[in-house]
Amino acid sequence: MNLKIGIIGTNFISSDFCEAALLVPEVELYAVYSRKQETGDAFAQKHGISRVYTDYDAFLNSGLDAVYVASPNFIHCGQTLKALDQGKHVLCEKVMAINENEVQSMISCALKNGRILLEAMRPDFDPAYELIEQTLPRLGRLSRATFEFCQYSSRYDRYLNGEVLNAFNPDLCNAAVMDIGVYCIHSLVRLFGMPKQIKSCSTKLANGFEGSGAVLMQYDNMVAEAIYSKTAVSVTPSVIQGEKGSLLMDYVSRPEALELRLRKGSRDALTGGSIEALPFTPAKNNMVYEILEFIRLIRDKEVNHKYLQYSLDTIRVIDEIRRQNEIGTF
């Protein structure tokens, strides 16, 4: 299978995608679409792409099979719908769209056209999460999960100096929950399902942009927390707790270390239990796994796949968080 992929967007995440795609023989980096010719040319030269377009229709009609959408959140839906209607498969960066209605319209369009739509949510496809799922029974009855992702944005210093880039522009349907928090929320939904109740709070910058937040998700027999920020750095791991022990994970978006701590009797793991590093080899760029799964779904014609429900449930949770904290309009 030789899949010709067109890249929409020329930011750092698109570069990461191209580097991962080079590790997959079935993929050809076929074309790039950019609003500015010079930006598109520079990106194409960097990644060895021969075709550059500033016209979206010409881009879609260039002979490509699929598109990778890495444009600002608020135009994901329109670009995706047009690509699907023209028979292209779509791998769309997180968040898939800005609200539930848009995500649902994208899913319906994919099903109607018999094309694969997949959110590029890298934890979904990382083997570390399969290992987490396999290990959960060893924890016994679960009581709490806390997933934390706080990453000081490389653009925050420029914001503090008075320059508001897209990453901190609330007018683009941007927020920390949609950029960073989504990793925690999506992973919790994937592991434990849709919560029965959601309570959340946010902190905002002077321009109204949500800089950080915390979410409490209530389930029948456990609670889950999502803690996120674009203006600070995490110093504690994410953890899943059960009656028999805990599972610790270093990075939610790209796990590099998993640690299982089982208690012994009434004593805690550190003094009387066991500590076990779960064996797996992290990928240097775990976006390769989402590309491999995208190809598999296309090959198997699995249009109505499980990841669509994960994406739909995640945006439902985010919509409620935005409603509670008055984050943007939707």
Side-chain angles (χ1 to χ4, degrees):
M1 182 181 192
N2 182 34
L3 188 70
K4 299 176 180 177
I5 295 185
I7 314 298
I8 301 176
T10 57
N11 56 25
F12 73 94
I13 197 67
S14 296
S15 289
D16 287 349
F17 176 84
C18 289
E19 291 172 6
L22 291 176
L23 303 175
V24 182
E26 298 94 332
V27 169
E28 177 184 351
L29 296 176
Y30 187 78
V32 60
Y33 167 73
S34 175
R35 290 172 299 170
K36 297 180 180 179
Q37 185 70 46
E38 57 273 24
T39 305
D41 288 341
F43 185 88
Q45 183 177 8
K46 178 180 178 180
H47 297 288
I49 301 173
S50 60
R51 301 168 183 84
V52 179
Y53 296 90
T54 57
D55 181 271
Y56 191 54
D57 289 320
F59 169 75
L60 291 177
N61 291 320
S62 64
L64 51 82
D65 305 307
V67 297
Y68 168 67
V69 179
S71 50
N73 296 335
F74 75 101
I75 52 178
H76 282 186
C77 183
Q79 290 178 332
T80 294
L81 292 176
K82 196 163 191 176
L84 291 169
D85 280 336
Q86 294 199 28
K88 314 303 178 186
H89 304 288
V90 177
L91 179 61
C92 184
E93 260 305 330
K94 55 79 186 167
V95 288
M96 188 180 284
I98 65 171
N99 56 43
E100 180 185 350
N101 288 338
E102 286 196 353
V103 171
Q104 188 61 71
S105 71
M106 294 159 71
I107 292 173
S108 297
C109 188
L111 297 179
K112 178 190 71 175
N113 287 288
R115 291 295 179 268
I116 299 301
L117 169 64
L118 184 65
E119 186 174 14
M121 175 54 65
R122 60 178 73 186
D124 261 350
F125 318 103
D126 194 303
Y129 274 82
E130 294 181 19
L131 187 55
I132 290 172
E133 288 181 305
Q134 294 167 10
T135 306
L136 287 182
R138 298 179 64 184
L139 301 179
R141 183 177 179 271
L142 301 179
S143 58
R144 181 175 73 94
T146 298
F147 280 15
E148 179 174 324
F149 188 7
C150 300
Q151 179 174 278
Y152 191 92
S153 172
S154 60
R155 299 171 179 84
Y156 187 50
D157 287 337
R158 294 170 70 176
Y159 169 83
L160 293 175
N161 288 327
E163 183 181 1
V164 180
L165 301 174
N166 287 353
F168 286 93
N169 186 349
D171 295 334
L172 301 181
C173 296
N174 245 343
V177 68
M178 303 177 85
D179 187 20
I180 297 294
V182 63
Y183 286 112
C184 301
I185 294 163
H186 188 107
S187 298
L188 290 168
V189 166
R190 177 254 176 94
L191 290 170
F192 307 114
M194 190 70 179
K196 293 185 173 296
Q197 189 176 3
I198 301 164
K199 296 181 181 179
S200 65
C201 56
S202 295
T203 63
K204 295 181 181 179
L205 306 182
N207 68 341
F209 182 88
E210 187 212 27
S212 63
V215 185
L216 183 67
M217 300 162 64
Q218 179 72 57
Y219 291 88
D220 283 334
N221 297 307
M222 64 173 287
V223 293
E225 301 167 285
I227 301 169
Y228 57 91
S229 175
K230 293 187 70 172
T231 62
V233 178
S234 292
V235 295
T236 57
S238 294
V239 61
I240 302 172
Q241 291 183 332
E243 292 175 341
K244 296 181 179 180
S246 299
L247 177 61
L248 284 69
M249 172 173 53
D250 55 352
Y251 302 116
V252 172
S253 64
R254 48 177 182 83
E256 295 181 1
L258 300 174
E259 184 177 274
L260 178 64
R261 298 187 180 187
L262 297 178
R263 65 177 182 82
K264 182 179 180 180
S266 61
R267 306 175 70 187
D268 66 35
L270 293 179
T271 58
S274 63
I275 299 178
E276 175 186 343
L278 299 182
F280 78 102
T281 302
K284 183 177 180 180
N285 181 343
N286 69 347
M287 294 181 80
V288 68
Y289 298 122
E290 68 191 36
I291 298 172
L292 290 171
E293 183 65 358
F294 187 50
I295 290 173
R296 186 196 68 79
L297 293 171
I298 293 171
R299 182 186 297 119
D300 294 348
K301 300 180 180 179
E302 196 176 328
V303 176
N304 194 13
H305 52 79
K306 63 182 180 181
Y307 305 105
L308 295 175
Q309 190 63 51
Y310 298 158
S311 296
L312 191 57
D313 286 345
T314 297
I315 202 66
R316 286 170 175 162
V317 173
I318 289 177
D319 278 357
E320 177 59 19
I321 294 166
R322 293 177 64 199
R323 185 193 67 78
Q324 290 181 12
N325 296 280
E326 299 181 344
I327 300 171
T329 57
F330 61 102

